[in-house]
Amino acid sequence: METNITYWLKRLIFLVLIIVQVGNVYATERVLAGTEIASVESAQGQEIVNSWVVVKHLNPKIHLNPNILERISSIRTGGKIPVDKFDDALNKQLGQILNSADEIKANKILDRLQEAHVNEKHFDDIVERLENPLYQDKLVKDLKENPDWFETFDDIIHHPGKYWDILEDGTTPFSAPLAKWGQGFWWKKLREKAKLFEEIDPKIPGSGAAQSRFANSLELDLDNIGTQITFEVGGVRTRVDFIARGNDGLIHIGEAKFSTKLKNWLTDWVGSLTKNQSDAFPSIISKNSDIEIKVTDPKKIEYIEETLGIVKNEQGKYIIPKDEIGTFKLLGSAADDASVVSKVVELIK
């Protein structure tokens, strides 16, 4: 913690720089570094003045505070966040959040932006949400009124899978708009990760861990695996992630479950089911009923008829006879890791 004398000395030196440079600042707006300014004898001093130019529209506790300006200068010269993007953000909602903060909170926000995880893409994610018109009246207002919540906001973006832990450990009320936004963001990211775990995306290396594991367990090529198939069992509709006819002639079923938390899938799989799955799966597992495949998608109809070898019966239905039901595998993820199947639970062996 610097002494008051050091603080005021730095502030005095800075103010002298500003007084000497004010004419040049207004004449050349942002590009001071590298120009012939006799009173600034170092690039660091020039950059401090440049930083002042960027935030001079904010209140004096920001633009005349040496500690804050040093942090802004450090971010601008750090190379992780492009200067033009950072400067632009300071002229928009990020700047307004800083403007509402006291020195300690403003410094914490700027320190946060210098942490290892904040690269250009992460900064883009921050700005995208701050500038989204849908969030202006709630999320951004929350952050302006409570700038110390910026760390929670960034935590949710950085670790969406830990949303509930973040809120429980923090000071943000669950009723706050930030918390409600975080829940929506968490759900969106959770679905994205679950999708990556479930199915292969040719554009994303390492995706489709569950689909690959299901195919490998049956010694089948991926082309033989059907995905997102709707069943009707005992009057209940539900969807399963995978289906395939195995080399044994039976129809095998797979269901992928992704979780951000560590699970004992041997017992926890029951709690991961949707309501309709909870109603329908027991009939499938016990093989008490035939399964009707409900389908309208032409590509899925082609897969069912040509790859599974199932044709419509006299009632115009695609039926899997109960005696043709093979294995039923539930593939559970590792904790918050879409690239790893931690356990395969054989619901039907």
Side-chain angles (χ1 to χ4, degrees):
M1 192 74 179
E2 63 184 355
T3 65
N4 286 337
I5 294 176
T6 304
Y7 172 82
W8 286 107
L9 181 60
K10 288 169 66 176
R11 187 155 188 158
L12 178 61
I13 293 171
F14 170 72
L15 289 174
V16 169
L17 282 171
I18 293 301
I19 291 170
V20 171
Q21 297 306 325
V22 69
N24 292 323
V25 164
Y26 280 98
T28 58
E29 273 303 313
R30 299 190 180 193
V31 190
L32 290 180
T35 61
E36 294 181 2
I37 301 175
S39 19
V40 180
E41 297 181 354
S42 70
Q44 182 179 9
Q46 294 171 26
E47 181 51 44
I48 288 288
V49 178
N50 283 345
S51 298
W52 173 80
V53 173
V54 176
V55 295
K56 69 180 189 292
H57 64 288
L58 303 181
N59 66 55
K61 67 184 179 183
I62 300 294
H63 76 248
L64 291 180
N65 188 303
N67 292 323
I68 290 175
L69 288 167
E70 282 184 351
R71 284 171 168 82
I72 291 173
S73 175
S74 178
I75 294 171
R76 295 180 84 247
T77 59
K80 292 171 60 181
I81 302 173
V83 174
D84 58 338
K85 289 187 176 183
F86 183 58
D87 290 357
D88 185 58
L90 289 174
N91 278 289
K92 294 180 178 177
Q93 295 299 340
L94 179 60
Q96 292 306 309
I97 293 168
L98 281 173
N99 209 40
S100 66
D102 60 25
E103 179 181 359
I104 293 175
K105 293 174 182 176
N107 282 334
K108 283 185 177 180
I109 292 173
L110 295 169
D111 286 343
R112 184 73 178 196
L113 294 176
Q114 296 184 77
E115 290 193 6
H117 69 278
V118 183
N119 53 22
E120 181 178 358
K121 182 182 181 305
H122 185 83
F123 186 73
D124 287 344
D125 288 342
I126 291 173
V127 173
E128 178 186 348
R129 278 139 190 99
L130 293 180
E131 297 302 325
N132 190 323
L134 296 175
Y135 306 143
Q136 296 297 301
D137 293 336
K138 295 181 179 180
L139 170 63
V140 176
K141 182 181 178 183
D142 241 6
L143 292 172
K144 288 178 181 177
E145 293 176 354
N146 305 276
D148 52 321
W149 290 358
F150 186 86
E151 290 180 275
T152 301
F153 167 66
D154 184 58
D155 277 337
I156 292 171
I157 293 176
H158 185 39
H159 293 296
K162 298 180 180 178
Y163 163 74
W164 297 108
D165 296 333
I166 290 168
L167 287 195
E168 288 172 359
D169 292 343
T171 57
T172 307
F174 279 85
S175 60
L178 171 61
K180 293 177 180 177
W181 164 83
Q183 186 174 3
F185 183 74
W186 164 79
W187 178 249
K188 178 174 179 281
K189 291 297 182 182
L190 179 62
R191 283 305 308 148
E192 289 175 358
K193 277 196 169 184
K195 191 70 173 176
L196 287 177
F197 176 67
E198 291 166 9
E199 295 183 29
I200 293 172
D201 184 337
K203 299 178 182 178
I204 304 177
S207 62
Q211 184 178 355
S212 296
R213 183 72 170 270
F214 181 74
N216 291 339
S217 70
L218 297 171
E219 298 182 346
L220 296 174
D221 294 333
L222 289 170
D223 292 342
N224 293 328
I225 309 300
T227 60
Q228 300 301 312
I229 304 296
T230 299
F231 287 170
E232 184 169 311
V233 186
V236 179
R237 286 196 184 192
T238 192
R239 179 175 291 185
V240 296
D241 291 317
F242 314 120
I243 187 173
R245 188 176 288 280
N247 296 320
D248 56 5
L250 300 177
I251 300 294
H252 299 269
I253 303 164
E255 177 65 19
K257 292 297 181 183
F258 176 80
S259 176
T260 61
K261 296 183 179 295
L262 181 65
K263 296 282 189 179
N264 177 4
W265 289 111
L266 286 173
T267 55
D268 292 342
W269 70 269
V270 177
S272 72
L273 303 182
T274 66
K275 181 181 182 306
N276 279 15
Q277 286 177 337
S278 296
D279 292 338
F281 279 15
S283 293
I284 299 174
I285 293 170
S286 63
K287 300 186 181 182
N288 285 334
S289 304
D290 294 340
I291 300 172
E292 180 183 353
I293 301 176
K294 309 292 287 190
V295 60
T296 57
D297 184 335
K299 290 185 177 179
K300 290 185 179 180
I301 290 174
E302 181 182 355
Y303 169 79
I304 290 166
E305 293 182 346
E306 296 188 6
T307 305
L308 293 185
I310 298 174
V311 296
K312 287 182 178 180
N313 63 13
E314 293 179 355
Q315 289 75 40
K317 298 178 180 181
Y318 294 104
I319 300 294
I320 303 173
K322 58 186 179 182
D323 59 359
E324 287 190 21
I325 299 173
T327 60
F328 189 176
K329 305 173 189 294
L330 185 136
L331 303 101
S333 76
D336 203 27
D337 190 342
S339 65
V340 176
V341 175
S342 68
K343 185 67 179 179
V344 178
V345 182
E346 300 282 354
L347 303 181
I348 302 177
K349 296 183 179 180

